[in-house]
Amino acid sequence: MGTLVKNGTVVSAEGSQRLDVLLDGETIREVAEGISPAGHTVVDATGLLVMPGAIDVHTHLDMPFGGTTSADDYTTGTQAAAVGGTTSVIDFALQNQSSTLNDALTTWLKKSEGKACVDFSLHMAVTNLHGENGVETLREMQEMVNFGITSFKLFMAYPNVLMINDSLMFQVMQKAAELNALCCIHAENGSAIDIVVSQMIAEGKTEPHYHALSRSPKAEAEATHRSIALADMAGCAVYIVHLSNEAALAELKFMQARGARALAETCTQYLVLSIEDQMPGKSWDEAKFVFTPPLREKKNQDPLWDALADGSLSVVSTDHCPFTMDQKALGKGDFRKIPNGGPGIENRLQILWHFGVNAGRITPEKFVSLACTAPARIFGMTQKGVIAPGKDADILLWDPNEDYTISAATQCMATDYSMFEGWKVKGNAKHVFSRGKQVVKDGKFVGEVGHGKFIKRIANAGGLD
Ligand code: URP
Ligand code: ZN
Ligand code: ZN
């Protein structure tokens, strides 16, 4: 006896079709027209779209940062993910500069142990190299790949904490190339930004608004170009995270046109929020929107949407890194001390559907590609991202006609605010299955803490090999 999702429209990255989907245990057994309901539990999907469970490849759960720890742990964060239609997340383990990758892995496995409600994987952030010529850390990279962690994060920002220099970046990229792994880059010129930040503080410009002004699109564009050029030199596939503006996009496209193996994501917030609307420099409340890269001028939004439609950007993630307003208050009077990050894991699909599909900017198939299929392909999650026999039964039943009002009062995320407070959207996750178990029913979480498991990924150079 299985679970039969009947009478829905299955949407894949390639097309849409009226098909039934039979789930058997943790996997999909059959996808066909008119599967007989005999002996199965039937879920009526009339009027619903049946999609692969979505994947958020950029989250920071229970992460020490900015003098505090992100507010969602693996339980609240993955509950919020599930309610939003996301059935897998890829979180970031951070190497402490004085420690090893294996220590970071142990720490993050402990954080997640028995706590996740949907499946998860990890990227490993390399922040220092140990041993002669980095030999010990580079050897550990092989161990990470053996463990199923096949992407390495490099921060070109946050000096003295996470930032690496070009020589470290190049060594990691050479090793990643050898391992067929992917390098994920936070692309901002941290050294130049630090100078601007000090100048602003010296001029008494301490409010949240100046966080945004201190980190220019040019600083992001420069680092985007440099990291792709270095990756190209090292023979490594590279994935630019949270690309936020038109200048950085131009560098990405330039290098892609020259044959560099470069992919990139943008995040929900850069598509719909802006300096003009959210951070005009009027109040402390704008600390809600202090994240990095910062919000940009509105004129950057259309080029980002166009790049999603034309394929130069491959993925929409969230960079979910939630802090409460009490935590943000660490930086009252000094924007440098505001913990950087915003909550969004729960709202990614609502925003992408409403402002993307409903607005005619992307098709439903593109939506599936950006949120589900491309993330699985790029990050080597072979069991995820498509609805096909043998794949994990991660299924999202999407109601394109549900009217929903986003609010902190009703969200699962642990923050006391929403970046989209009061926004009315059409389209929402109705039912969600994670490896065959229903985790969301009629929009409410019904899953189990501890159901989510660590997913081993394959090293496939971002699907570009
Ligand atoms: O502000 C952000 N984005 N916080 C999380 C860390 C990062 O840079 O992705
Ligand atoms: Zn980042
Ligand atoms: Zn991030």
Side-chain angles (χ1 to χ4, degrees), residues 58 153 155 158 186 241-242 292 319:
H58 190 156
K153 173 82 174 280
F155 287 92
Y158 309 126
H186 175 130
V241 302
H242 50 42
T292 303
D319 192 9

Side-chain angles (χ1 to χ4, degrees), residues 52-59 77-90 117-120 316-318 344-350 367 371-372 375 394-398 429 431-434 439-440 445:
I55 302 172
D56 191 342
V57 301
H58 190 156
T59 69
T78 55
Q79 257 172 22
V83 167
T86 291
T87 51
S88 304
V89 304
I90 312 186
C117 304
V118 299
D119 290 346
F120 64 97
V316 175
S317 72
T318 59
I345 202 168
E346 197 166 339
N347 308 119
R348 178 176 63 129
L349 301 187
Q350 294 163 339
F367 173 90
C372 320
D394 290 358
I395 304 287
L396 163 60
L397 273 66
W398 183 259
H431 305 305
V432 181
F433 294 82
S434 162
V439 292
V440 175
F445 182 73

Side-chain angles (χ1 to χ4, degrees), residues 68-128:
T68 183
T69 300
S70 59
D72 275 313
D73 64 6
Y74 269 76
T75 295
T76 59
T78 55
Q79 257 172 22
V83 167
T86 291
T87 51
S88 304
V89 304
I90 312 186
D91 206 50
F92 286 89
L94 305 183
Q95 177 199 16
N96 185 311
Q97 285 181 331
S98 61
S99 188
T100 65
L101 304 189
N102 276 297
D103 282 344
L105 175 58
T106 305
T107 302
W108 258 265
L109 289 178
K110 220 183 225 155
K111 283 177 192 290
S112 56
E113 198 178 342
K115 293 192 78 173
C117 304
V118 299
D119 290 346
F120 64 97
S121 183
L122 292 167
H123 310 280
M124 178 58 65
V126 183
T127 60
N128 202 359

Side-chain angles (χ1 to χ4, degrees), residues 73-402:
D73 64 6
Y74 269 76
T75 295
T76 59
T78 55
Q79 257 172 22
V83 167
T86 291
T87 51
S88 304
V89 304
I90 312 186
D91 206 50
F92 286 89
L94 305 183
Q95 177 199 16
N96 185 311
Q97 285 181 331
S98 61
S99 188
T100 65
L101 304 189
N102 276 297
D103 282 344
L105 175 58
T106 305
T107 302
W108 258 265
L109 289 178
K110 220 183 225 155
K111 283 177 192 290
S112 56
E113 198 178 342
K115 293 192 78 173
C117 304
V118 299
D119 290 346
F120 64 97
S121 183
L122 292 167
H123 310 280
M124 178 58 65
V126 183
T127 60
N128 202 359
L129 294 182
H130 297 289
E132 201 175 341
N133 296 320
V135 65
E136 284 170 21
T137 310
L138 297 174
R139 192 200 58 241
E140 283 193 292
M141 284 176 65
Q142 171 79 69
E143 291 169 18
M144 294 302 121
V145 168
N146 296 345
F147 192 78
I149 296 175
T150 56
S151 44
F152 296 93
K153 173 82 174 280
L154 295 165
F155 287 92
M156 299 171 79
Y158 309 126
N160 306 318
V161 190
L162 298 169
M163 187 169 122
I164 45 80
N165 60 25
D166 287 358
S167 85
L168 187 149
M169 178 155 60
F170 189 66
Q171 280 174 282
V172 170
M173 285 173 165
Q174 282 185 320
K175 186 68 185 179
E178 187 188 313
L179 297 171
N180 222 23
L182 186 63
C183 282
C184 300
I185 311 292
H186 175 130
E188 280 187 308
N189 187 318
S191 306
I193 287 170
D194 232 26
I195 299 293
V196 179
V197 167
S198 311
Q199 290 165 346
M200 285 187 163
I201 295 290
E203 289 166 24
K205 296 174 174 167
T206 58
E207 295 84 16
H209 175 65
Y210 292 104
H211 168 84
L213 299 194
S214 67
R215 313 184 79 90
S216 71
K218 286 180 182 168
E220 186 181 342
E222 185 279 326
T224 301
H225 181 94
R226 178 160 40 105
S227 60
I228 299 174
L230 284 174
D232 196 34
M233 228 188 289
C236 162
V238 76
Y239 178 92
I240 307 296
V241 302
H242 50 42
L243 190 145
S244 71
N245 72 83
E246 189 175 16
L249 186 59
E251 298 298 339
L252 170 75
K253 288 184 178 178
F254 175 76
M255 293 306 284
Q256 286 174 333
R258 292 176 63 162
R261 293 192 299 160
L263 301 163
E265 66 179 21
T266 190
C267 306
T268 335
Q269 53 272 28
Y270 304 116
L271 293 166
V272 295
L273 306 178
S274 64
I275 294 197
E276 293 95 319
D277 288 345
Q278 276 72 35
M279 297 199 87
K282 295 212 168 87
S283 74
W284 159 252
D285 230 36
E286 294 171 20
K288 289 173 183 168
F289 304 101
V290 167
F291 40 74
T292 303
L295 285 180
R296 303 301 189 185
E297 290 177 65
K298 236 182 191 153
K299 65 181 183 194
N300 291 282
Q301 292 174 0
D302 278 345
L304 293 179
W305 282 109
D306 291 346
L308 293 174
D310 74 23
S312 19
L313 291 175
S314 308
V315 170
V316 175
S317 72
T318 59
D319 192 9
H320 177 76
C321 189
F323 297 103
T324 62
M325 287 312 279
D326 269 356
Q327 292 177 296
K328 292 274 183 184
L330 287 169
K332 235 176 181 163
D334 185 346
F335 71 77
R336 293 174 299 181
K337 297 186 181 142
I338 302 172
N340 285 198
I345 202 168
E346 197 166 339
N347 308 119
R348 178 176 63 129
L349 301 187
Q350 294 163 339
I351 298 290
L352 189 58
W353 185 270
H354 186 81
F355 294 96
V357 179
N358 291 349
R361 285 166 158 147
I362 55 170
T363 63
E365 291 77 15
K366 189 63 163 184
F367 173 90
V368 169
S369 173
L370 294 168
C372 320
T373 308
R377 185 186 65 245
I378 291 169
F379 288 97
M381 301 175 95
T382 54
Q383 280 300 105
K384 309 288 191 190
V386 288
I387 295 182
K391 299 293 181 187
D392 282 355
D394 290 358
I395 304 287
L396 163 60
L397 273 66
W398 183 259
D399 183 349
N401 294 311
E402 182 182 336

